[in-house]
Amino acid sequence: MVATDDLAALEARLRAVEDELAIRRLILSYGPAADAGLATLAASVWQEDGLYDWDANGAPHVGQAGVEAMLLTEPHQTLTKEGVGHIATPPLIELDGDEATALTYSQIIRLDAESGRFYLWRLSAVRWDLVREGGSWAVKRRTNRLLDNTAAGRELFGATLKELRGVDAR
């Protein structure tokens, strides 16, 4: 017979695994939906008032409507028509009850029509802040920062890891 404490611990572990899988699916669904032109589906992973902070110098897109509108803009539509792939790495997820934080790399691969070759166009550090709403996970905020000579991407990763792993993380 399984002790009540053992069963509760097992249930908690199973819920954590299920939460990580749900968050992984949510994060990894965005790129394929955006590239397929399914703007509503791609935007549906955000809270109604969630933020997509995609540019350190630009205003964030607000909520599902803002993300969907961005995906329907001419620049984004042109990217998808010319050949582009939004690729996220598997997320590093930290759960905290009904909230979670995840880190990924975001790679945007583009087709060079002249040569017929694909190349890495953008590489970003990404922080995902997520919340559980009504049993499902949603993006509260996604913050992208380029991994370039501005150091913004490295700083985003460093600050998040220190926050999640402790101030003395080295």
Side-chain angles (χ1 to χ4, degrees):
M1 179 186 273
V2 177
T4 304
D5 289 346
D6 291 341
L7 187 55
L10 183 59
E11 287 174 348
R13 288 175 51 205
L14 178 58
R15 181 173 183 165
V17 169
E18 289 175 338
D19 285 343
E20 284 208 26
L21 286 173
I23 290 167
R24 177 182 296 257
R25 290 177 66 95
L26 178 145
I27 289 171
L28 296 178
S29 71
Y30 173 78
D35 294 337
L38 302 174
T40 302
L41 179 61
S44 73
V45 302
W46 266 264
Q47 288 183 297
E48 287 296 328
D49 61 349
L51 295 176
Y52 185 2
D53 181 2
W54 66 282
D55 181 354
N57 299 312
H61 302 292
V62 179
Q64 293 177 0
V67 174
E68 183 174 1
M70 176 272 298
L71 292 170
L72 293 173
T73 63
E74 184 58 36
H76 194 274
Q77 292 295 305
T78 299
L79 279 177
T80 59
K81 290 174 185 168
E82 291 178 353
V84 70
H86 293 75
I87 302 166
T89 59
L92 172 63
I93 301 167
E94 188 75 26
L95 294 168
D96 185 13
D98 289 337
E99 297 184 356
T101 304
L103 293 175
T104 61
Y105 288 90
S106 172
Q107 304 169 65
I108 300 180
I109 309 293
R110 290 186 69 180
L111 174 65
D112 175 15
E114 253 183 61
S115 69
R117 301 184 84 178
F118 288 90
Y119 65 96
L120 179 61
W121 181 51
R122 287 176 63 112
L123 178 63
S124 301
V126 182
R127 175 182 171 142
W128 301 79
D129 294 294
L130 305 112
V131 293
R132 187 192 328 263
E133 296 183 321
S136 297
W137 288 94
V139 178
K140 179 177 180 179
R141 182 183 187 105
R142 175 181 168 171
T143 306
N144 283 37
R145 293 295 179 263
L146 289 175
L147 284 160
D148 61 8
N149 60 355
T150 66
R154 291 185 306 281
E155 290 171 0
L156 177 64
F157 275 162
T160 302
L161 288 168
K162 285 180 180 179
E163 174 188 329
L164 298 175
R165 302 297 168 108
V167 177
D168 293 332
R170 297 169 210 239

